[in-house]
Amino acid sequence: MPIIGVNRDRLFEALGRRYTDEEFDQLCFEYGIELDDVTSEREMIRKELSKDDASALSEASEDVIYKIDIPANRYDMLCLEGIARALNIFKGRLEAPQYRLADMKGKPLLQLVVKPETALIRPYVVAAVLRGVTFDATRYTSFIDLQDKLHQNLCRQRSLVAIGTHDLAKCRGPFSYEALPPADISFVPLKQTQKFRADELMEHYLANDQKLKKFVPLIKDSLVYPAIYDADRTLLSLPPIINGAATAISLETRDVFIECTATDLTKAKVVLNTVCAMFAEYCAQPYVVEPVEVIDSFGESHVYPDLAPRQIDVPLEYINSRLGLQLEPSTVAKLLRSMQLQVELSSAAAAAADGSSSSGPSLLVSVPPTRSDILHACDVMEDVAIAYGYNNLSNQIPTTVTQGRELPLNQLTELLRQEVALAGYTEILTWALCSRAENFDAMRCPESAPGSGAVAIGNPQTAEFEVCRTTLLPSALKTIAANKREPLPLRLFELSDVVLLDAERDVGARNERRLVAVHCGKASEFEVIHGLLDRVMQVLNVPREGSNPELEAKLGGGYSWAPSEHASFFPGRQATISACGQQVGTIGIVHPEVLAAFDIEHPVSALELNIQPFVFDTALKSLMHELHGWNLVH
């Protein structure tokens, strides 16, 4: 969750009273946030430096800084203004503000025209204007910090949304949002004095700017770069990288033009609403925002921001039943108002409050534009719980009795782990994701072969994690390759899941719990791995075929092996393992080409076994059954 640093004295000034650290910590707890640390700018610099830097420390302030841990979805609390407003409303010191658009009757709206080429790079843009803003140093810093926090959080490092703010006195509408070749864009960027061509600027940031270089890949390889121009062709912004110096805001700025370009329109609207709502209190008309008309690439007109509250109908019984309370509609409405949610009693709720009816009262909750985290009735219920106080909720004995226990499959897994370890094998734990090359090519099993295929990652961030593994053997061989300096023999095992394609499952795949064991030595020593198979079957109480007819009849067959032709194993030195009437695994000497692919110099014998058929009770009845509609295989 994001941690916001705010000046303690400025926060107390906004809250209208002073608190001790303990009192403020308690207030934070009551609201569902947390006072993470009490520090100062000087102390933070001292912690960041390995030793005292006199020059840096001399310029640092001794003002107390509260570092407050904010829920990740409370974007309205990412700045001092939002925290103070939420706590003031919670304590009843302030009524929740009514955000509204400026009355533009008889006045032309500022226009932002979107060119069709922007669909190639960042297709969406929204905008608004804050008129008559009064900045001081603290407010200005908070305004910039809010944008940074939004970029890190909701905007996903500017990949979804990028915010640009401009001094409206330094530019002139109508504005245009365009996408041009990098060589055709030239301007003086923020904090620079010389003019750069857009492609040259990208190289400059990659080489010289640690903060901005991480955003450069978002557009660097694109054929066109997004750009916002005013009526005089002054470049306002090169999103999502940097604004132009020509329209930079300052302490003297009074009218702020805010634009948000995006690849996700919904998040762009949330970001714009948040920035406008947090700083509209400093406008000449508090909490009033001037709208901007955006003409999209299809010629359709849209007016932003949309500050109209959303409405959610929440049954009172839903709230009371989840919290174990019997609250009246008026009480719930009062609690929700302390959380910035306005409530109207529906006709049923009003009737219940008058005593004329008690069937199904409901609350019509109005959600302000700052509370984008409210998506469902359960979010409203949570706010009622916060306002009521979690410590005030009474403990109750559940009306149903349940008994938790380990899944039979996991219980068998733990028992087998102990037995294989006692047999002299070392357990390993490897990734469930691997590359296609390791899972198929290195194992001499083409992905295109019948019965092959794997669950693929849609957008892998690295070539090492492309698919879900369909066998445990490649991971064990990789581990041997990484431990070639260890004395021989190496005996390793893993008990874990593989993921197999399965058209009969609703998700198209299923997990299968397997045991893999490998023996690497100067000789293949196949008899060693064969001995482990016999020991595993012994502890599983599965007899060798023909040795115990009575027990075999109950199990559906003992275990046996037959020659196989698996491409990963040496011809004539491999077998398929069958048990309980089905094929359960493979045993053999790993093929030399497979060993070469993993850079292993010594022969390896391997065993891979599906253990799920052996999950049965003392009566030999399978425990891999459906339980309350949920398949324990999953």
Side-chain angles (χ1 to χ4, degrees):
M1 295 191 292
I3 295 178
I4 311 302
V6 296
N7 183 287
R8 181 195 64 182
D9 295 336
R10 292 299 295 257
L11 178 61
F12 286 173
E13 180 183 346
L15 293 176
R17 59 158 289 187
R18 300 191 66 82
Y19 293 84
T20 65
D21 293 345
E22 291 75 17
E23 289 173 337
F24 186 75
D25 186 31
Q26 180 61 29
L27 173 61
C28 289
F29 175 79
E30 292 173 1
Y31 194 75
I33 58 180
E34 181 181 355
L35 180 60
D36 186 71
D37 192 14
V38 180
T39 183
S40 67
E41 183 181 348
R42 181 185 292 269
E43 185 62 26
M44 287 190 292
I45 292 176
R46 183 179 288 114
K47 288 180 180 179
E48 291 172 2
L49 300 174
S50 57
K51 56 182 180 180
D52 289 353
D53 186 327
S55 60
L57 291 175
S58 63
E59 299 175 0
S61 171
E62 286 283 8
D63 291 347
V64 176
I65 302 295
Y66 275 172
K67 304 187 80 171
I68 304 174
D69 200 343
I70 304 296
N73 60 354
R74 286 300 300 268
Y75 312 119
D76 60 311
M77 298 185 70
L78 293 177
C79 60
L80 182 147
E81 289 75 10
I83 295 172
R85 190 179 306 166
L87 294 179
N88 275 327
I89 295 170
F90 180 67
K91 298 300 290 183
R93 183 173 177 269
L94 181 71
E95 290 290 328
Q98 301 297 313
Y99 306 98
R100 60 187 178 88
L101 298 179
D103 185 0
M104 301 301 290
K105 290 181 180 179
K107 303 176 186 177
L109 289 177
L110 272 177
Q111 279 191 342
L112 177 55
V113 180
V114 181
K115 298 299 178 68
E117 297 80 12
T118 57
L120 297 172
I121 181 69
R122 294 176 78 84
Y124 305 112
V125 65
V126 296
V129 175
L130 297 180
R131 293 281 186 181
V133 177
T134 304
F135 281 125
D136 59 23
T138 302
R139 294 175 181 178
Y140 179 85
T141 300
S142 182
F143 187 57
I144 302 301
D145 286 347
L146 173 61
Q147 296 174 56
D148 287 340
K149 291 296 184 183
L150 287 170
H151 279 150
Q152 295 168 19
N153 190 350
L154 177 61
C155 302
R156 294 295 185 269
Q157 298 293 343
R158 307 191 189 182
S159 62
L160 300 182
V161 185
I163 310 166
T165 54
H166 314 278
D167 190 335
L168 198 55
K170 300 176 181 178
C171 52
R172 185 169 63 90
F175 304 98
S176 63
Y177 178 42
E178 308 174 15
L180 302 171
D184 295 346
I185 301 174
S186 182
F187 71 111
V188 179
L190 199 64
K191 297 182 180 179
Q192 298 290 334
T193 56
Q194 71 178 87
K195 182 176 288 189
F196 285 86
R197 208 171 63 190
D199 51 353
E200 297 172 343
L201 185 62
M202 298 301 102
E203 298 299 332
H204 173 77
Y205 285 148
L206 284 174
N208 301 291
D209 196 307
Q210 293 299 317
K211 179 181 179 182
L212 294 178
K213 68 183 296 184
K214 60 186 176 183
F215 307 123
V216 170
L218 295 176
I219 64 170
K220 184 179 185 296
D221 296 328
S222 174
L223 296 176
V224 292
Y225 286 3
I228 296 179
Y229 289 93
D230 76 348
D232 300 320
R233 300 301 293 172
T234 300
L235 189 136
L236 277 66
S237 176
L238 182 72
I241 309 301
I242 194 70
N243 291 338
T247 58
I249 64 172
S250 65
L251 293 178
E252 288 72 38
T253 298
R254 291 296 172 263
D255 299 328
V256 180
F257 176 62
I258 305 170
E259 42 83 8
C260 300
T261 60
T263 57
D264 186 319
L265 181 58
T266 299
K267 287 184 170 56
K269 293 177 182 178
V270 172
V271 169
L272 182 67
N273 287 349
T274 301
V275 175
C276 291
M278 291 303 99
F279 287 88
E281 69 174 276
Y282 300 134
C283 291
Q285 291 182 277
Y287 307 114
V288 175
V289 181
E290 180 178 317
V292 172
E293 181 183 18
V294 175
I295 309 297
D296 67 20
S297 55
F298 298 101
E300 298 180 2
S301 174
H302 307 270
V303 176
Y304 299 107
D306 180 7
L307 299 180
R310 295 176 289 112
Q311 292 189 324
I312 301 177
D313 192 53
V314 184
L316 180 63
E317 190 275 336
Y318 174 85
I319 295 173
N320 280 329
S321 64
R322 293 324 187 261
L323 301 181
L325 301 173
Q326 294 296 324
L327 300 176
E328 295 296 324
S330 57
T331 303
V332 174
K334 182 179 179 181
L335 293 173
L336 288 175
R337 279 192 286 270
S338 69
M339 301 299 292
Q340 306 180 51
L341 304 180
Q342 300 301 316
V343 180
E344 295 180 13
L345 302 183
S346 67
S347 56
D354 293 339
S356 57
S357 172
S358 60
S359 59
S362 186
L363 304 174
L364 190 62
V365 180
S366 295
V367 182
T370 53
R371 293 300 306 275
S372 58
D373 59 302
I374 303 293
L375 302 174
H376 185 271
C378 64
D379 300 310
V380 177
M381 177 269 295
E382 181 185 19
D383 271 12
V384 173
I386 292 172
Y388 184 83
Y390 279 110
N391 286 344
N392 297 325
L393 297 175
S394 58
N395 295 324
Q396 298 180 355
I397 298 175
T399 56
T400 57
V401 178
T402 60
Q403 183 177 6
R405 63 184 176 89
E406 191 175 22
L407 290 176
L409 177 60
N410 291 339
Q411 187 176 21
L412 177 63
T413 299
E414 294 302 323
L415 293 172
L416 275 180
R417 280 197 174 108
Q418 183 176 0
E419 290 295 339
V420 179
L422 289 172
Y425 288 76
T426 301
E427 184 174 14
I428 60 175
L429 182 62
T430 59
W431 302 111
L433 300 179
C434 61
S435 68
R436 282 189 166 89
E438 293 169 356
N439 199 72
F440 297 107
D441 299 339
M443 301 301 295
R444 304 179 73 244
C445 299
E447 188 174 4
S448 58
S452 295
V455 176
I457 306 302
N459 185 26
Q461 298 299 304
T462 172
E464 292 185 356
F465 302 123
E466 295 177 312
V467 296
C468 297
R469 62 187 176 186
T470 59
T471 170
L472 298 179
L473 186 53
S475 299
L477 295 176
K478 280 184 68 177
T479 306
I480 291 176
N483 291 272
K484 289 186 292 186
R485 294 184 179 181
E486 296 298 317
L488 297 177
L490 280 176
R491 295 178 181 176
L492 308 176
F493 83 96
E494 181 173 11
L495 263 162
S496 194
D497 283 4
V498 298
V499 182
L500 305 176
L501 295 175
D502 189 341
E504 295 182 1
R505 300 300 173 96
D506 55 353
V507 294
R510 61 183 170 85
N511 284 21
E512 185 174 282
R513 186 70 52 83
R514 290 187 181 180
L515 162 67
V516 68
V518 290
H519 176 283
C520 178
K522 294 182 179 180
S524 62
E525 298 186 68
F526 177 74
E527 66 276 6
V528 175
I529 209 76
H530 191 291
L532 178 66
L533 170 63
D534 290 340
R535 175 57 182 166
V536 168
M537 290 301 178
Q538 182 183 24
V539 298
L540 289 173
N541 198 28
V542 178
R544 186 178 299 176
E545 190 174 79
S547 64
N548 190 336
E550 182 180 353
L551 183 56
E552 291 174 42
K554 294 179 180 179
L555 288 171
Y559 79 95
S560 62
W561 52 88
S564 66
E565 296 181 356
H566 196 292
S568 300
F569 294 92
F570 199 85
R573 297 292 185 271
Q574 57 175 290
T576 56
I577 304 167
S578 299
C580 304
Q582 59 183 298
Q583 185 174 318
V584 295
T586 308
I587 188 172
I589 300 172
V590 179
H591 198 286
E593 292 182 7
V594 175
L595 297 180
F598 288 94
D599 194 24
I600 299 175
E601 300 173 354
H602 299 284
V604 175
S605 297
L607 162 69
E608 186 160 6
L609 193 67
N610 174 15
I611 69 167
Q612 290 181 183
F614 308 110
V615 182
F616 43 71
D617 58 17
T618 55
L620 304 181
K621 178 182 178 182
S622 175
L623 297 177
M624 298 295 294
H625 59 273
E626 300 276 329
L627 180 62
H628 300 303
W630 294 98
N631 194 325
L632 293 186
V633 172
H634 294 291

